[in-house]
Amino acid sequence: ETGVTQSPTHLIKTRGQQVTLRCSSQSGHNTVSWYQQALGQGPQFIFQYYREEENGRGNFPPRFSGLQFPNYSSELNVNALELDDSALYLCASSWVNTEAFFGQGTRLTVV
Amino acid sequence: AQSVTQLDSQVPVFEEAPVELRCNYSSSVSVYLFWYVQYPNQGLQLLLKYLSGSTLVKSINGFEAEFNKSQTSFHLRKPSVHISDTAEYFCAVSETGNTPLVFGKGTRLSVIA
């Protein structure tokens, strides 16, 4: 059984650019969630996908968008990057009514 | 809306001493409660969880937490810490096991030799 894997592990982008982060869910999990963890803070919920449909969203602007694919892998897209978007982005997968398992995260730095 | 308060941002403790990391939550509905641990430059690992049943839950590495509904608390304890326990610990709550987690700001546990 493979765990949750995220790519890339680190990247640097310039303000105004767009970025795509990727996540492969743990085998058998049909729900994926994305979280943003700013330095020194707890993770904050961005959105959640269940069977390829967004079924929950946190307090993030529309320039944060996502996709879930038939194999339950997922992407997080962020447009028009701002300096405050610099953070660790965490992907978590789960089965219905079970706990979430997290990937190692992608560290995004916006300069 | 749910919220989680971790009362201590940093907890230094000597090796082999006991430790308690405090967590209080607020919610208008029944909740599931979790403790996650984050080692430097890594993601979150589930340490233990309370979903239902016994209010005292234990992890395989000696941590335990007790759900106290009247005090809306879920404090994490370990009777004897090791250097390897040095990490950031996050308390989290959700309405069900599959709804978004609401995290506290974290407690940095530093174990001193």
Side-chain angles (χ1 to χ4, degrees), chain B residues 32-84:
Chain B
Y32 293 176
L33 292 157
F34 306 86
W35 276 99
Y36 283 87
V37 59
Q38 186 175 38
Y39 298 100
N41 300 313
Q42 293 190 25
L44 300 175
Q45 298 177 28
L46 179 67
L47 189 59
L48 44 74
K49 62 186 178 186
Y50 170 78
L51 305 181
S52 64
S54 173
T55 57
L56 181 65
V57 291
K58 300 184 179 184
S59 73
I60 59 173
N61 57 354
F63 283 95
E64 64 179 35
E66 186 159 20
F67 168 54
N68 188 318
K69 188 174 182 179
S70 63
Q71 297 189 3
T72 60
S73 67
F74 191 54
H75 301 330
L76 181 69
R77 302 182 181 96
K78 189 170 185 180
S80 176
V81 295
H82 301 126
I83 294 289
S84 59

Side-chain angles (χ1 to χ4, degrees), chain A residues 31 35 37 42-43 45 48 88 94-95 97-100 102-104, chain B residues 34 36 38 42-44 46 49 90 96-98 100-101 103-105:
Chain A
T31 301
Y35 293 81
Q37 185 180 14
F45 172 68
Q48 178 172 286
L88 181 67
S94 60
W95 185 244
N97 286 332
T98 65
E99 66 269 25
F102 285 80
Q104 81 283 7
Chain B
F34 306 86
Y36 283 87
Q38 186 175 38
Q42 293 190 25
L44 300 175
L46 179 67
K49 62 186 178 186
F90 292 95
T96 70
N98 204 33
L101 293 162
F103 286 88
K105 292 188 176 181

Side-chain angles (χ1 to χ4, degrees), chain A residues 64-106:
Chain A
F64 284 79
S65 63
L67 284 172
Q68 187 183 29
F69 300 100
N71 65 354
Y72 301 134
S73 64
S74 176
E75 287 182 354
L76 164 64
N77 299 289
V78 187
N79 294 320
L81 284 166
E82 302 177 357
L83 297 179
D84 285 348
D85 295 333
S86 294
L88 181 67
Y89 288 84
L90 295 163
C91 170
S93 73
S94 60
W95 185 244
V96 177
N97 286 332
T98 65
E99 66 269 25
F101 291 86
F102 285 80
Q104 81 283 7
T106 294

Side-chain angles (χ1 to χ4, degrees), chain B residues 1-60:
Chain B
Q2 299 164 325
S3 67
V4 175
T5 302
Q6 292 184 244
L7 297 165
D8 306 294
S9 59
Q10 297 187 58
V11 174
V13 62
F14 286 104
E15 194 173 17
E16 297 183 4
V19 69
E20 178 181 80
L21 306 184
R22 296 178 292 171
C23 172
N24 287 88
Y25 70 92
S26 68
S27 176
S28 58
V29 298
S30 296
V31 296
Y32 293 176
L33 292 157
F34 306 86
W35 276 99
Y36 283 87
V37 59
Q38 186 175 38
Y39 298 100
N41 300 313
Q42 293 190 25
L44 300 175
Q45 298 177 28
L46 179 67
L47 189 59
L48 44 74
K49 62 186 178 186
Y50 170 78
L51 305 181
S52 64
S54 173
T55 57
L56 181 65
V57 291
K58 300 184 179 184
S59 73
I60 59 173

